[in-house]
Amino acid sequence: MSGLVQFTKSKDIGVITINNPPVNALSPGVPEGISEAIDQLLKDDELKVAVLIGSGNTFIAGADIKELEKMASGKAREAGLLPLLLKIEDCRKPVVAAIHGTALGGGMEVAMACHYRVALHSSNVGQPEVQLGIIPGAAGTQRLPRLAGVAKAVEMCAEGNPITAEEAYQLGIVDKLIDGDLLTGAMAFAREIAGKPALKTRERSNKLGTREQNAPIFAAARENVRKKQRGRIAPLAAIDAVEAATKVPFEEGCQIEQKLFIECLPSPQAKALMHVFFGEREVAKIPDIPKATPIIPVKTAGVVGAGTMGGGISMVLANAGIPVLVNEADQAALDRGMGNIQKNYANSVKRGRFTQQLVDERLKRIQPTLSLEGFANVDLVIEAVFEGLALKKEVFAQLDKICKPGAILASNTSTLSIDEIASATHRPESVIGTHFFSPANVMRLLEIVRGKATSKEVIATCMEFSKKLGKVGVLVGNCRGFVGNRMFHPYVRESVFLLEEGATVQEVDSALYDFGMAMGPLAVGDLAGLDVGWRIRKEYRHLEKLGIRQPFAGDRLCEMGRLGQKTGAGWYKYDENRRAIPDPELTALVRKWAAEAGILQRRISREEIVDRCLYALVNEGARILEEGYALRAVDMDIIYINGYGFPAHRGGPMWYADTVGLKNVYNRVLAFHKQHGELWEPAPLLKRLAEEGKTFVDYSQEQRAAAR
Ligand code: 3HC
Ligand code: NAI
C-alpha cells in the first residue's frame, strides 16, 4: 500500500488512515491506497467494519488542486474518483468516515460514499468546487441531495460555503457528533453498527422531492447566482447537476455531472480561480523573511483617530478579540467616532449578522480615551488621523515617547511615505504601514507597507496578524500610492478622459461593471467622495509635467460642490436612499467643458472603455512589478480582487493581461500611446515580455528562481 494510506487492525475494526499532509488531499496514490485498504478489509474475515480517518489536522480537504490545474491545462489526466467511491459504497462491510477539520470537495464525496459519517463538533463539511470555477466531480451533486435534501444541496454546491458539523448533523449528512477523541468515538460507533446493513447513499431517494417542490428551488438558486456570482459559469452548472439528481437515476446523474465537470475544468474561469486560490496563499510568503522569523505577540492595541478608518479598524481589532484603546483629538470627535462604531454594530444586529450579546462583548473591548498615556502598554498602535505629513509626524513623535520598546507603530496612510513618518521616531525598525480599505470592517485587503528600516519581525508579525483579523495581507513597497492606489490612479484617469471624449457616465460604468467589476470607476468615486482625489491632485499638482493632458471634469464637479454620495450628487445624482440616478445635465455640462477645451467628441465602444481603463491599470502594474514594489504579479491580482472589486473569475488584472496575451496588450498600449501621448508610454517590462512572448507569471517565476 502507498505510504499515503495506512491500514491497521483493532480487533474486528479496520482503520484506514490517510496521511498526506498538510490537508490529506486526494493526490495520486491516495485513492489507490484507499482502494487497496478496502480490498484488505474484504479479505480479512476477522474484520467486520472499517473507520476511514485523516491523520494530522484534517479529514480529506478535497482533490489535489495542483493536479486539477494540470488537468485544466491538458498536462495530466486523472482516472476520476467515481469507481473508487462505488467500490467503497458497494463494500459489504460498513465503512464509517470519521471527520475532523474539514471534509471538502472530493473529501466530502468520499465521506458520502461511506455508509456512515461521524464528526467532531469543530469540523466543517462542504462542496467548495465552484469557488475554483468547477463543480463537484465525484457524484457530490448526486449524493448530497439524497442526504441533505435538494434545497441545501443546491445552496452548498452553487455557493460553495462549508457548513458546520452541527448543521450537517441536523440535515442528516452526519450520523453522529463525537465528543472527545475522534478515533475512539468512531470505533465505538463502528461497533454499534457492525451488524447492521451497510447503507448506500445512492440508493436513498426520500429527500429528492417532487418536480413541483423542486422547480422554485432551482429557479431561486439560478436567480441568486445571477445576482451574487455575476458572470460565473460553474455555479449554474452545479445547479444543473443537482437538478439532474432529482430527475434521472443516479448513474445517469453522474454522467451529466461528469460532462459538466469536464466542461468547467479547462475554462478560463477555473484556471483564474485556481490561480487566485494559490495566489492568496503565496502572498503570505516573503522571500527574505523566513518562516521561523520570531513573531511579536499582539494582545492589545491602540488606534489614533476615530474617523471613518480609525472606527472601522477598531471594530476589526475588537472582532478579532483584541482589546483596543481609541484616541481622538477632542471629546466631540471621540463621541462621534464611538457613536459611529455603535451604529455600525447596531446595523449588523438588525441585519442578523451578529447577536446583541456578541456586539456587547465586542463593544466592551473598545475603550475611548482622550489621552495617549494608556498607549504605553499596548503591543500595536495603528494611526488613522487626517492625511497630512506634519500631523502624522507629530503623532509618531508622541508615540515614540510613550510606547514601550518593541511596540509596533503602524500608519494607515494611503499616500504618505512610511520612511518619512518613521523619521519622526527613534525606532524606524518598528514603523510600518497597515493600509486598510474602506469600509475597514468589510474589505478583506490589508496592504502592509514595508519601510526601508522596518524589521523582519515587524513585517512577519503584521503578515501573521492580518490572518487573525480575517484579512489578506499583501506586502508592498513604499512608493506613492503604494501598489493598489498607484495602479488605480491611471484607471480612474482614463475613465474621466473617456467622459471628456464623449462617453457617458453610464456607458463607462456599465462597460466595466459588465466586465465584472463590482462597481464602475465613476460610481466608486462618488462612494469614496470625489474630494479625496481632488485634494491629492491639488497637493501634487506641482509634480505634474507641463503640457501633459490631465482630466479636469472631476475637479470641476468638486468646485461645484458635487462631491459624490455625501452631497447628493457627483457623477450621478442620488435620492434619499442613496440610489444613483443618471444625470443628463451632467452629460451636457461635460460636453460643454470638452468643447471649451477643444476635445473632439466621438462615439466610444464598450471595448475601448474596458481596454483604456484596464490596460492603464496593467501598464502601471508592470512598472510597479519591475521596480520591485510588488513582490510578484499575483500579489497585484490579490490586491485588486480583495480591495478594488476586480472579478476573481478573471484572475486579477495581471493574470487577465496574461490571458489576453501580453503582445496584444502591448500593441493596444502602443496604439493608445500614439493616439493619447506620453501618459501611455508602454512600461519597459510590458514591452520586453511582449517581445519575448512571455507572461507576468513567467517573469515572477524567473525572479523567484533568480532569488534562490
Ligand atoms: N489541493 C492541493 N493543495 C492544497 C489543497 C488542495 N485541495 N488544500 C490546501 N492545499 C495547500 C495550500 O495551497 C497550502 O499550501 P502551502 O502551505 O504550500 O501554501 C497548504 O495546503 C495549507 O493550506 P491553507 O494555508 O489553506 O491551510 P488552512 O489550514 O488555512 O486551510 C483548508 C485548510 C480549509 C483545507 C483550505 O486549504 C482549503 O479550503 N483548501 C481547499 C479545499 C477545496 O477547495 N477542496 C475542493 C478541491 S476540488 C475537488 O475536490 C474536486 C472534486 O469534486 C473532484
Ligand atoms: P477622517 O477624517 O474620517 O478621520 C480622521 C480622524 O482623525 C478624525 O476623527 C480626527 O478628529 C482625528 N484626528 C486628527 N488629528 C488627531 C490627533 N492628533 N489625535 C487623534 N485624532 C486625531 O479620515 P479617514 O478617512 O478615516 O482617514 C484616516 C487615514 O486613513 C488617512 O491617513 C487616510 O489617508 C487613510 N485612509 C483613508 C481611506 C478612506 O477611504 N477614507 C482608505 C484608506 C486609508
Side-chain angles (χ1 to χ4, degrees), residues 303-313 326-330 332-334 336-337 340 369-370 372 383-388 391-392 394-395 398 411-416 421 434-440 485 527-528 532 535-536:
V303 172
V304 191
T308 311
M309 296 307 289
I313 293 168
V326 191
N327 168 259
E328 255 294 348
D330 58 53
L334 193 57
R336 203 170 39 243
N340 285 337
T369 172
L370 285 177
L372 282 178
E383 165 279 310
V385 301
F386 299 130
E387 186 79 342
L391 174 62
K392 302 241 183 215
E394 197 185 305
V395 170
Q398 264 178 293
S411 173
N412 188 51
T413 177
S414 41
T415 52
L416 301 170
I421 294 172
T434 49
H435 184 205
F436 288 81
F437 285 70
S438 183
N485 284 347
L527 179 68
V532 177
R535 234 180 286 126
I536 295 171

Side-chain angles (χ1 to χ4, degrees), residues 550-568:
Q550 294 296 339
F552 58 81
D555 294 355
R556 298 264 172 97
L557 288 193
C558 291
E559 286 156 15
M560 292 166 65
R562 290 181 70 137
L563 306 183
Q565 289 195 14
K566 59 186 169 190
T567 57

Side-chain angles (χ1 to χ4, degrees), residues 144-361:
L144 189 55
R146 288 173 159 83
L147 286 178
V150 176
K152 195 69 196 178
V154 174
E155 181 193 311
M156 289 174 71
C157 292
E159 293 176 19
N161 299 320
I163 59 169
T164 62
E166 305 266 356
E167 190 179 354
Y169 174 70
Q170 298 299 332
L171 290 163
I173 299 171
V174 163
D175 301 292
K176 186 169 182 165
L177 293 171
I178 304 286
D179 296 304
D181 180 65
L182 177 64
L183 184 57
T184 312
M187 294 213 299
F189 179 86
R191 246 171 230 122
E192 274 172 39
I193 53 93
K196 297 189 184 153
L199 286 177
K200 294 184 187 180
T201 305
R202 72 175 193 267
E203 287 176 359
R204 300 190 190 188
S205 61
N206 59 330
K207 291 190 178 174
L208 287 180
T210 63
R211 267 172 201 249
E212 292 68 35
Q213 287 166 335
N214 292 334
I217 297 175
F218 293 120
R222 290 191 174 99
E223 189 49 33
N224 206 26
V225 167
R226 278 183 204 109
K227 275 199 211 128
K228 295 202 184 139
Q229 302 190 71
R230 196 161 41 92
R232 293 209 187 184
I233 52 173
L236 293 171
I239 298 170
D240 290 349
V242 177
E243 190 169 26
T246 67
K247 290 189 169 164
V248 298
F250 179 82
E251 290 69 23
E252 209 180 310
C254 288
Q255 283 164 13
I256 293 172
E257 183 197 77
Q258 268 309 291
K259 184 172 164 288
L260 291 165
F261 174 80
I262 286 165
E263 276 167 18
C264 288
L265 186 59
S267 69
Q269 293 196 3
K271 288 178 191 155
L273 287 164
M274 289 182 202
H275 161 74
V276 173
F277 174 84
F278 287 115
E280 283 203 354
R281 282 142 185 94
E282 194 166 357
V283 293
K285 294 169 188 149
I286 316 296
D288 69 331
I289 301 187
K291 252 188 162 175
T293 306
I295 300 292
I296 302 164
V298 178
K299 297 210 172 70
T300 55
V303 172
V304 191
T308 311
M309 296 307 289
I313 293 168
S314 302
M315 290 171 71
V316 172
L317 291 162
N319 293 351
I322 310 280
V324 47
L325 286 173
V326 191
N327 168 259
E328 255 294 348
D330 58 53
Q331 191 63 49
L334 193 57
D335 292 345
R336 203 170 39 243
M338 287 305 291
N340 285 337
I341 292 173
Q342 277 153 2
K343 227 189 291 160
N344 279 337
Y345 273 134
N347 278 341
S348 304
V349 174
K350 230 191 272 164
R351 273 189 255 117
R353 268 191 70 214
F354 298 150
T355 62
Q356 188 59 47
Q357 193 197 346
L358 196 79
V359 161
D360 291 343
E361 280 167 23

Side-chain angles (χ1 to χ4, degrees), residues 22 106 123 311 339 424-425 476 690:
S123 54
T425 73
V476 298

Side-chain angles (χ1 to χ4, degrees), residues 45 48 54 80 133 195 221 254 279 283 359 379 388 402 489 504 516-517 598 661 687:
D45 291 338
K48 293 204 177 66
C254 288
V283 293
V359 161
D379 303 312
I402 293 169
H489 177 72
T504 65
M517 298 299 290
K687 178 174 189 291

Side-chain angles (χ1 to χ4, degrees), residues 374-435:
F375 282 51
N377 300 317
V378 301
D379 303 312
L380 161 75
V381 179
I382 301 177
E383 165 279 310
V385 301
F386 299 130
E387 186 79 342
L389 188 58
L391 174 62
K392 302 241 183 215
K393 283 176 100 164
E394 197 185 305
V395 170
F396 272 74
Q398 264 178 293
L399 292 172
D400 189 32
K401 285 201 194 102
I402 293 169
C403 293
K404 66 184 181 190
I408 298 172
L409 307 183
S411 173
N412 188 51
T413 177
S414 41
T415 52
L416 301 170
S417 162
I418 294 301
D419 293 333
E420 278 284 341
I421 294 172
S423 73
T425 73
H426 295 92
R427 44 172 128 179
E429 69 284 357
S430 296
V431 178
I432 193 163
T434 49
H435 184 205

